[in-house]
Structure formats: structure tokens, C-alpha cells
Amino acid sequence: MPSLKLPKDFKFGVATAAYQVEGAAKSEGKGPTMWDWNSRQPGGVVDGTTGDVVDLQYFLYKEDVSRVAALGINAHSFSISWARIFPFGTADSPINKVALDHYSDLIDYHLANGVEPVATLFHWDIPLALQAYYGGFVSPNIINDFVHYAKTVFKAYNGRVKTWYTFNEPRVYCSQIAGYPFNASLPVGFNITTATYHCTYNLLRAHAGAVKTFREMKIEGEIAFKNDDFVGIPWRENSTEDAEAVERHAAFRMGVFSDPVYTTGDWPKIMTDILPPEILPRFTEAEKKDLLGSADFFATDAYRTSWVIAPDGGIAACLNDMTHPLWPECQDVRLFDSSAGWATGPNPDPASESWLQATPQFLRLSLKEFQKRWPTKKMYISEFGFVEPFEQLRSPLFRITEDVDRTNYYMTYLGEVLLAIHEDNVPVQGIFAWAMIDNAEWNSGLSARFGIQHVNYTTLERTYKRSAFALCE
């Protein structure tokens, strides 16, 4: 598509997250996080690895910034570790000036090399102390502590970071805390269901508080949060049940955070129709006012789009049965079409095949749906990426770097982004490839490798893969 150009000032970036790449888990005053704890629980990480060292980007960030700058990448979306800045998490606990200085130097080095720093305040690595003190995000105590942390970071880096995210994939995070082993840390009185929705409620209030502080401080730049997931497509074309299932999927997976911030200030009605206040707390009028408009742009981690189907037995039967495995969402996802049974798209490594497929053919549809439902003047694809099948099983470096499936994923998606911009008028102003380098992929550990650069976990040497050069070109 040689005649189609990216918009002026387009952010062509890569992404990382603190726990996944920094390592240095016990260095220079950092406190432990819940993910440091999780990696030490039996079965918490499938391959038994931890984030203690991984890429050691905390010390090697200059090498990594230089390597992406050499590719022509002009932005890096990274996260700041709350537990480095405040090892004990709380607003009244000591601040770690060494950590503040570290991120200041990291930001300056980005700017000196022509790579724009894009910062996320929270990418799932909550300080362990806050989980122990009061249960983390299931408690309203988190709001003041998070806003204080945000205020500290805003003040330190104002004018140098121009694009901010409060939270990464909050839906995934609030679902995560209800699963093993995190559910062992829930306070008395919470179960899997209530914890998820109280987390959602408190996280949104923390987001609104941080954005309000950002604007009161007149911080230079823009701020939002990072969505994830997709609206979906009815699995059966002429099924009203599947069409309704799509609306349920959209509400519970994206609308739960996007409706309060972008359109109504409140939960999607689909959710309040079934979830009582003791499960899903209701917003006050003041909270609705603070939430509505608390984002300057729309950002989403647009990895894939899938078909959506109504439960066996119908939606009504599911809604009336709290023991149904799909309650309260009462919708399900299909990774193959309803006619011939073809996969929606190429499959990734088995470590990620439960959720990820390459579906570029649906990207434009998804982007238009986002813009229709939660309209903004600017949109970022804040993460997208692919796990090369069986890459972790290969040993010769020349086989590892030949990541053809990942390369095709990026090239086909970027082609669809260009068409979405030029033919659909979707205001995409940036994309961020996940990930800058191989990393600790949460509970998959080192077995799921998203990086456009290979990391030798013995020597920590980085090597570009074919996908890195494709993005460069």
C-alpha cells in the first residue's frame, strides 16, 4: 500500500510492562508485588519461573531504548512499578527517591534518543503490602493510596511524559484477583464474584481520582486507560440470541469500563439488570460526574476479534441460574465459524491458543465498533502482538529469529490499520507492538514469547527477529 501514509506525529511504538521486563526484583529499595508473590506459589506460573531477573531492563534500559531507536521505533509504552516508588504502597509510607531518579533517567534517555516515553501507572503489579493491609482493589482504601502515588509520579515527570495511562487492562486484572492463587489473599466476606466487581468499582474510582488530580495539577499532556478485548460478531448470522450475546459480551468485557468513562458515567444497563448492588456497587451522582469524560482518548489492546454465541439452553435460562458456568455474562466465545468450522484465524503457540488468534480481517470492523460505541477524536492501539508457535522449543538462533507467523500478523494488522485510517476515517494515531523483547508472560512465565527481539536468558543478549525488521521497514 505505497500510496497510503501514516498520519503526522503517528506513534509507531513498542510496549513493555515493569514486572515482565525489569527484573531487579529486590534491587534499590523496591518492595515486593503480588506477582513476585504469585511466582513463588505452587503452580502460580506454569514453568516455575519468576520475574526476579528476566530481561533485567531496570539496568539495561539504555541498551533496549537504543535498539528500538535503531529500528526507527518512535515510542515506547512502559509501566512504572508502584512498589519501587512506594515499597509499602500507602500514601503515608516512605518514598523511594532512588526509584524516582531511575525512571527520570529512563525518561530522559528515551527523549535523547528520539523515542517518546508513554507511561502506565499500574500494569497489575500491586504492592504486596496493600494486598496484605486491606485486600488491594477490593477495598476503597486503595483509592487514596493510588491517587497519592499518581500525584507523586505526575509531579516528578510533568512535561517529559506527554501520554499517560492510569490502568492496563483493568477487566483482566479484576478477573485475575479472583483466580488461583490470588483468591487466597481476598479479605473475609469476598468471594470470586463479589471480589471481581468490587475491584472494578474501586479501580474506576481510583482512575477518576487520578485523572481529576492530573487536570487540577495542569499536567501537560493526555491521559486515559487501556481497554482490552473486543465487541464481537454473532456466531450464527440469523440468530437473535447470538446478537444479544454480542451485546452482553460488549457490556461485560469493554462497556463495564468504557461506558462510565466515555458515554454515560454509569454501568451498562445489561449489568445492573442482573447484578444487585451487593455484587456490583452503584455509583453516586458525584462519582458519575467524575467518571464521565475522564479520558482524553480511547486506547485498547486489540490483539484479536472472535465470534460470540449464546449459551446452550438460551440466555434467559442462564440469567435465571446463578450456578450456570457462564452467569452473569451469559455469553461465550467461538474460535471457529459456524458454517464450515474453519478457525477464525491462524493459531499462536499452544501457551496462548485459549484466547489468541490472528484475525486481521476483523480489525477494521472492531475499530469502527469502538468508535461508534465510545467515540473519541483519537485512538491508540495500545498493544497488539502474537506468539510464534513452538518458538520456546527451538534452540538454534536462526530458527528462533525466523518468526514468520508473528511477522505476518504485524504486517496484515498494520495494513488493516492503514485502511481503517484512510477508508473508514477511524482516528488511529498510534500503534504499540507487544512486545519490545521476550519477557515474563505472567502465569505462562518464559514459555510464551511475544518479543520482536529474542533474549538469551543466560547471557541476556538481545537479538532482533524477522518481525523487528519488518516493523522497521
Side-chain angles (χ1 to χ4, degrees), residues 218-384:
K218 294 180 168 49
I219 300 298
E220 182 181 348
E222 58 187 2
I223 190 167
F225 68 95
K226 290 168 65 178
N227 289 275
D228 84 291
D229 217 88
F230 51 89
V231 170
I233 305 164
W235 194 58
R236 295 164 291 197
E237 281 189 24
N238 298 316
S239 169
T240 56
E241 281 265 291
D242 286 1
E244 184 180 342
V246 167
E247 293 306 311
R248 301 194 65 80
H249 182 95
F252 277 87
R253 298 301 179 95
M254 296 192 75
V256 58
F257 291 97
S258 295
D259 280 18
V261 170
Y262 294 100
T263 57
T264 66
D266 203 356
W267 306 115
K269 187 173 184 299
I270 283 175
M271 298 181 70
T272 54
D273 281 348
I274 187 172
L275 295 172
E278 55 268 24
I279 293 178
L280 182 69
R282 301 307 197 246
F283 296 118
T284 65
E285 290 305 313
E287 289 167 351
K288 293 177 185 178
K289 184 177 179 182
D290 287 342
L291 277 166
L292 187 58
S294 61
D296 297 322
F297 56 92
F298 186 89
T300 190
D301 296 351
Y303 284 91
R304 83 293 188 213
T305 302
S306 290
W307 311 102
V308 178
I309 186 174
D312 291 341
I315 292 174
C318 173
L319 292 175
N320 291 322
D321 180 8
M322 292 180 66
T323 66
H324 195 289
L326 296 178
W327 189 93
E329 294 189 16
C330 295
Q331 58 81 24
D332 205 0
V333 169
R334 286 287 181 272
L335 303 180
F336 56 93
D337 68 35
S338 60
S339 54
W342 287 100
T344 315
N347 292 311
D349 186 86
S352 302
E353 66 183 5
S354 64
W355 67 275
L356 180 59
Q357 288 177 311
T359 57
Q361 73 276 24
F362 294 143
L363 181 61
R364 289 172 65 185
L365 175 65
S366 283
L367 296 177
K368 286 190 287 186
E369 278 293 318
F370 301 152
Q371 183 67 1
K372 181 179 77 174
R373 292 168 184 262
W374 306 291
T376 54
K377 294 180 180 179
K378 180 187 289 186
M379 183 187 296
Y380 294 137
I381 297 177
S382 41
E383 289 179 24
F384 72 128

